[in-house]
Protein backbone atom coordinates (compact mmCIF):
# COMPACT_ATOMS: atom_id res chain seq x y z
CA UNK A 1 0.00 0.00 0.00
CA UNK A 2 2.82 2.41 0.87
CA UNK A 3 4.60 1.61 -2.43
CA UNK A 4 1.48 2.52 -4.46
CA UNK A 5 1.05 5.75 -2.52
CA UNK A 6 4.69 6.76 -3.04
CA UNK A 7 4.42 5.93 -6.78
CA UNK A 8 1.33 8.15 -7.11
CA UNK A 9 3.03 11.02 -5.22
CA UNK A 10 6.12 10.65 -7.43
CA UNK A 11 3.99 10.77 -10.59
CA UNK A 12 2.14 13.89 -9.38
CA UNK A 13 5.45 15.62 -8.60
CA UNK A 14 6.80 14.84 -12.09
CA UNK A 15 3.62 16.14 -13.76
CA UNK A 16 3.81 19.36 -11.71
CA UNK A 17 7.47 19.86 -12.64
CA UNK A 18 6.66 19.49 -16.36
CA UNK A 19 3.71 21.88 -16.02
CA UNK A 20 5.95 24.52 -14.44
CA UNK A 21 8.66 24.04 -17.10
CA UNK A 22 6.10 24.43 -19.89
CA UNK A 23 4.51 27.47 -18.20
CA UNK A 24 7.87 29.26 -17.91
CA UNK A 25 8.83 28.24 -21.48
CA UNK A 26 11.77 26.09 -20.45
CA UNK A 27 10.11 23.32 -22.44
CA UNK A 28 8.21 24.29 -25.59
CA UNK A 29 5.66 22.08 -27.26
CA UNK A 30 5.69 22.35 -31.06
CA UNK A 31 2.54 21.63 -33.03
CA UNK A 32 2.29 21.79 -36.82
CA UNK A 33 -0.94 21.26 -38.73
CA UNK A 34 -0.84 21.37 -42.52
CA UNK A 35 2.78 22.57 -42.31
CA UNK A 36 4.58 22.56 -45.66
CA UNK A 37 7.93 24.06 -46.57
CA UNK A 38 10.27 24.25 -49.53
CA UNK A 39 13.87 25.35 -49.17
CA UNK A 40 16.52 25.95 -51.84
CA UNK A 41 19.91 27.69 -51.74
CA UNK A 42 18.64 31.17 -50.95
CA UNK A 43 14.85 30.74 -50.72
CA UNK A 44 12.39 29.44 -48.16
CA UNK A 45 8.62 29.10 -48.55
CA UNK A 46 6.31 28.06 -45.69
CA UNK A 47 2.56 27.47 -45.48
CA UNK A 48 0.59 26.15 -42.50
CA UNK A 49 -2.97 25.80 -41.29
CA UNK A 50 -1.85 26.02 -37.66
CA UNK A 51 1.66 26.44 -36.24
CA UNK A 52 2.69 26.80 -32.63
CA UNK A 53 6.38 26.47 -31.76
CA UNK A 54 9.57 27.17 -33.66
CA UNK A 55 11.84 25.83 -36.37
CA UNK A 56 15.26 26.70 -37.80
CA UNK A 57 16.33 26.82 -41.45
CA UNK A 58 20.00 27.11 -42.39
CA UNK A 59 21.75 29.00 -45.21
CA UNK A 60 25.38 29.42 -46.37
CA UNK A 61 26.79 32.63 -47.82
CA UNK A 62 30.23 33.88 -48.78
CA UNK A 63 31.96 36.02 -46.18
CA UNK A 64 32.15 39.77 -46.63
CA UNK A 65 29.10 40.01 -48.90
CA UNK A 66 26.14 42.34 -48.56
CA UNK A 67 23.03 40.15 -48.32
CA UNK A 68 19.41 41.27 -48.35
CA UNK A 69 16.69 39.19 -46.72
CA UNK A 70 13.35 39.92 -48.40
CA UNK A 71 10.18 38.63 -46.77
CA UNK A 72 6.51 38.36 -47.59
CA UNK A 73 4.56 37.29 -44.51
CA UNK A 74 0.90 36.23 -44.41
CA UNK A 75 -0.73 36.11 -40.97
CA UNK A 76 -4.40 35.08 -40.98
CA UNK A 77 -4.45 34.62 -37.21
CA UNK A 78 -2.01 34.52 -34.31
CA UNK A 79 1.53 35.85 -34.40
CA UNK A 80 4.69 35.01 -36.38
CA UNK A 81 8.23 35.93 -35.33
CA UNK A 82 11.10 35.90 -37.84
CA UNK A 83 14.75 36.04 -36.81
CA UNK A 84 17.91 36.22 -38.93
CA UNK A 85 20.87 34.89 -36.95
CA UNK A 86 24.48 33.98 -37.38
CA UNK A 87 26.10 31.51 -35.01
CA UNK A 88 26.84 34.10 -32.33
CA UNK A 89 24.27 36.87 -32.56
CA UNK A 90 20.84 37.97 -33.59
CA UNK A 91 21.02 40.18 -36.70
CA UNK A 92 17.31 41.02 -37.01
CA UNK A 93 13.98 40.10 -35.46
CA UNK A 94 10.42 41.17 -36.18
CA UNK A 95 7.01 40.20 -34.82
CA UNK A 96 4.15 39.98 -37.35
CA UNK A 97 0.43 40.05 -36.58
CA UNK A 98 -0.72 41.03 -40.08
CA UNK A 99 0.36 40.58 -43.70
CA UNK A 100 3.64 42.41 -44.29
CA UNK A 101 6.40 42.70 -46.88
CA UNK A 102 9.86 44.13 -46.38
CA UNK A 103 13.59 43.57 -46.41
CA UNK A 104 16.68 43.90 -44.25
CA UNK A 105 20.31 44.14 -45.42
CA UNK A 106 23.45 43.07 -43.58
CA UNK A 107 27.12 42.43 -44.24
CA UNK A 108 28.05 38.75 -43.82
CA UNK A 109 30.85 38.09 -41.36
CA UNK A 110 30.49 34.30 -41.31
CA UNK A 111 29.45 31.61 -43.76
CA UNK A 112 26.59 29.99 -41.84
CA UNK A 113 23.32 31.72 -41.02
CA UNK A 114 19.88 30.65 -39.88
CA UNK A 115 16.33 31.88 -40.03
CA UNK A 116 14.28 31.08 -36.95
CA UNK A 117 10.52 30.91 -37.47
CA UNK A 118 8.33 31.03 -34.38
CA UNK A 119 4.58 30.70 -34.57
CA UNK A 120 2.25 31.56 -31.73
CA UNK A 121 -1.02 29.84 -32.63
CA UNK A 122 -0.67 31.24 -36.14
CA UNK A 123 -2.21 30.45 -39.50
CA UNK A 124 -0.69 31.62 -42.79
CA UNK A 125 2.73 31.38 -44.37
CA UNK A 126 5.80 33.29 -45.48
CA UNK A 127 8.31 33.57 -48.29
CA UNK A 128 11.92 34.48 -47.63
CA UNK A 129 14.60 35.14 -50.22
CA UNK A 130 18.24 36.12 -49.80
CA UNK A 131 19.89 38.12 -52.56
CA UNK A 132 23.42 39.41 -52.85
CA UNK A 133 23.37 43.17 -53.28
CA UNK A 134 25.50 43.12 -56.45
CA UNK A 135 23.45 40.30 -58.04
CA UNK A 136 20.11 42.16 -58.16
Amino acid sequence: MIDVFSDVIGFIIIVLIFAVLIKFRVIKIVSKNGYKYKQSNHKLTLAYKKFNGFDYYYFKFSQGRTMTLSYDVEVDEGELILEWRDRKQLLWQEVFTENTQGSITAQTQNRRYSVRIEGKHTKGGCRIQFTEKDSQ
Side-chain angles (χ1 to χ4, degrees):
M1 182 72 172
I2 294 176
D3 287 339
V4 172
F5 182 71
S6 63
D7 288 345
V8 169
I9 295 295
F11 178 75
I12 291 171
I13 290 172
I14 289 172
V15 168
L16 288 174
I17 289 171
F18 274 108
V20 168
L21 292 175
I22 290 170
K23 170 108 172 110
F24 290 105
R25 301 182 140 229
V26 174
I27 296 176
K28 289 196 80 168
I29 296 174
V30 176
S31 65
K32 298 176 181 177
N33 182 8
Y35 190 93
K36 298 176 185 176
Y37 78 95
K38 182 178 179 181
Q39 183 177 8
S40 62
N41 281 346
H42 294 110
K43 290 182 182 180
L44 174 65
T45 303
L46 297 165
Y48 37 83
K49 293 179 183 176
K50 201 63 146 174
F51 176 44
N52 189 51
F54 64 93
D55 218 340
Y56 285 90
Y57 297 91
Y58 299 93
F59 298 90
K60 286 185 182 179
F61 307 125
S62 299
Q63 289 178 306
R65 303 292 172 100
T66 302
M67 299 298 294
T68 298
L69 180 155
S70 301
Y71 56 87
D72 183 2
V73 174
E74 179 185 328
V75 180
D76 296 332
E77 62 183 58
E79 180 177 284
L80 183 71
I81 302 169
L82 294 181
E83 294 180 355
W84 182 12
R85 312 177 69 89
D86 69 8
R87 297 175 108 181
K88 298 178 183 176
Q89 66 182 353
L90 176 66
L91 301 173
W92 168 80
Q93 178 185 54
E94 192 162 339
V95 178
F96 300 95
T97 56
E98 58 187 24
N99 299 351
T100 309
Q101 295 178 343
S103 64
I104 183 74
T105 301
Q107 186 82 19
T108 59
Q109 304 297 319
N110 302 305
R111 289 186 41 80
R112 293 193 170 122
Y113 289 83
S114 65
V115 171
R116 181 178 187 268
I117 312 285
E118 182 175 353
K120 294 187 177 181
H121 305 285
T122 190
K123 176 183 178 183
C126 68
R127 285 169 293 290
I128 294 171
Q129 180 171 353
F130 287 98
T131 53
E132 193 172 331
K133 187 176 181 185
D134 300 331
S135 67
Q136 292 180 358

